[in-house]
Amino acid sequence: MYKENFGKDQEGSQAELITLTNAKGTEVKISTLGATVVSFICRDKSGIMRDVVLGYDDADSYLVNRTYHFGATVGRNANRISNAEITIDGVRYQLEANSGSNNLHSGSNGVSHRMWKILELSEADNSVTLGFFSADLEQGFPGNMDIKVTYKLMEDNSLCIAYDAVSDKDTVANFTNHSYFNLAGHDSGPVGSQKMKLYAREFTRMAPTESIPTGEISPVASTPLDFTKFKEIGREIDEDYDQLVYMKGYDHNFVLDNGGKLSLMAEAVCEETGIHLYAYTDCPGVHFYTGNYIDEHTGKNGVSYGERHGFCLESQYFPDAFHNPGFLKPLLKAGEAYHSETVYKLEVKA
């Protein structure tokens, strides 16, 4: 484990980069800017080291390209809130409308673009804990909130992510990690040939505009959104199906049936490299996004990134949950402890 400088933010604060390594040589790099996963590197079936997440070489590049949220911790609320407003305890709170008329990923002042503090580096646990204080109404949300995220790299190549938070007012708590995975390597182009399996039989149907759920929960069966068995990501992504047309591909919340316990939400595999991803969560939903809106630009090591060069598995509460009576709401009561876990595990198979 070691740390190094990673550039500065717009206020001149120093960003740091923490490297976690296990006995297999697997390496994870975490930036204090946005509590971001910058790299996740493992050996493929041929012995080649592959970095399987998209990212950038310095803090400034993350700020310039902040709309993609590559690898970032997103909160206080992940995903969209319609009309950029919520009501809690009878009080209406106006949020930033940064995605049409809606709030996306908590707006431009979300924790994904802020500087976190290193609270603990543990050699024994091979982990780093980062902290952020979110002041009352700083993003429009009520309550002074202390937030922690812990990244722990296990010997079995599991990257365990734990989120903890407490607030002095009733508020929203819905955090996720926004890593874009490419199991052929971040520098390998589109992910359409990689295979995906989602542990979900239903999804939240999207309205034709502004990427907001209608409130209807629909079965995936007999639709291109059926990933209950392994299927190439690109096999049906351009089908003339209304949900895919609306979102330019996969950009949907899938309904998990895990009872709030840490369980598999997805698997993905690249046969070329033999890298197999197992993803776990205790959240009620996973948002599967195929990078449909990545414009061509430069990423790590001068590599050109573009449309569909990575996929996201964002564990979270359903989008716009506060405006849909049938959705579980990410409401954190004052003084109560929020805790959630997500795990991304890499295995290599011949």
Side-chain angles (χ1 to χ4, degrees):
M1 177 187 295
Y2 61 93
K3 62 180 180 177
E4 57 192 306
N5 290 341
F6 196 56
K8 297 182 178 181
D9 68 8
Q10 293 169 337
E11 284 74 45
S13 298
Q14 181 68 58
E16 293 185 286
L17 192 66
I18 301 97
T19 300
L20 308 175
T21 307
N22 67 15
K24 294 180 179 179
T26 298
E27 184 178 274
V28 174
K29 292 181 180 289
I30 307 294
S31 171
T32 53
L33 179 66
T36 295
V37 178
V38 172
S39 297
F40 194 173
I41 302 170
C42 76
R43 198 176 305 278
D44 74 3
K45 67 180 183 181
S46 301
I48 299 170
M49 301 303 291
R50 304 277 185 177
D51 187 349
V52 299
V53 295
L54 276 59
Y56 304 105
D57 292 325
D58 54 63
D60 184 63
S61 296
Y62 279 92
L63 293 171
V64 169
N65 299 288
R66 65 176 62 200
T67 57
Y68 300 122
H69 297 87
F70 281 178
T73 297
V74 175
R76 296 183 191 187
N77 184 75
N79 220 303
R80 291 174 173 81
I81 297 175
S82 65
N83 300 316
E85 59 85 22
I86 56 170
T87 298
I88 298 176
D89 299 332
V91 179
R92 179 180 176 275
Y93 295 93
Q94 186 64 52
L95 311 173
E96 178 187 357
N98 66 319
S99 178
S101 62
N102 308 308
N103 178 268
L104 173 62
H105 293 330
S106 305
S108 59
N109 207 28
V111 302
S112 51
H113 309 123
R114 307 292 298 281
M115 198 69 76
W116 293 56
K117 293 182 179 179
I118 298 175
L119 301 181
E120 183 179 6
L121 290 172
S122 173
E123 294 275 2
D125 286 340
N126 203 21
S127 68
V128 57
T129 298
L130 304 175
F132 185 84
F133 175 73
S134 178
D136 183 36
L137 301 179
E138 187 174 49
Q139 302 170 354
F141 299 110
N144 295 297
M145 178 182 274
D146 283 302
I147 308 164
K148 293 194 299 183
V149 60
T150 299
Y151 290 101
K152 182 176 181 178
L153 179 61
M154 309 293 289
E155 289 302 320
D156 67 355
N157 286 353
S158 292
L159 177 61
C160 302
I161 308 173
Y163 306 94
D164 292 279
V166 65
S167 170
D168 61 3
K169 293 181 182 178
D170 292 1
T171 192
V172 178
N174 181 26
F175 296 91
T176 196
N177 180 269
H178 211 295
S179 287
Y180 290 70
F181 289 94
N182 188 325
L183 302 182
H186 80 103
D187 53 355
S188 64
V191 295
S193 64
Q194 296 172 36
K195 294 180 179 179
M196 177 67 63
K197 179 179 181 181
L198 298 173
Y199 286 77
R201 292 171 293 185
E202 297 175 311
F203 71 99
T204 51
R205 185 168 289 275
M206 306 298 284
T209 59
E210 298 209 355
S211 305
I212 294 294
T214 64
E216 179 185 359
I217 294 177
S218 298
V220 299
S222 301
T223 79
L225 276 71
D226 188 350
F227 283 91
T228 53
K229 296 180 179 179
F230 273 109
K231 179 176 69 177
E232 291 86 356
I233 291 171
R235 181 189 298 178
E236 298 176 300
I237 197 169
D238 291 315
E239 290 287 306
D240 187 18
Y241 176 65
D242 62 352
Q243 291 294 298
L244 294 177
V245 173
Y246 298 159
M247 312 303 291
K248 289 182 59 180
Y250 298 107
D251 191 359
H252 297 80
N253 173 71
F254 288 78
V255 178
L256 302 173
D257 185 20
N258 57 20
K261 296 180 180 180
L262 189 67
S263 306
L264 269 171
M265 61 176 172
E267 295 181 53
V269 64
C270 174
E271 293 179 349
E272 175 189 352
T273 62
I275 298 175
H276 194 125
L277 170 68
Y278 296 86
Y280 303 77
T281 188
D282 53 16
C283 290
V286 56
H287 199 92
F288 175 44
Y289 172 53
T290 46
N292 312 319
Y293 298 95
I294 301 176
D295 293 326
E296 187 172 342
H297 70 289
T298 302
K300 282 183 288 191
N301 304 318
V303 170
S304 179
Y305 294 155
E307 182 179 287
R308 300 177 180 170
H309 280 207
F311 63 84
C312 302
L313 295 166
E314 304 162 58
S315 53
Q316 57 193 250
Y317 285 79
F318 301 173
D320 202 30
F322 273 84
H323 294 126
N324 283 285
F327 294 177
L328 183 65
K329 292 175 176 54
L331 178 65
L332 178 64
K333 303 294 288 184
E336 293 186 356
Y338 169 89
H339 180 80
S340 181
E341 297 179 18
T342 295
V343 176
Y344 298 115
K345 178 182 177 182
L346 301 179
E347 283 192 6
V348 179
K349 301 181 179 182

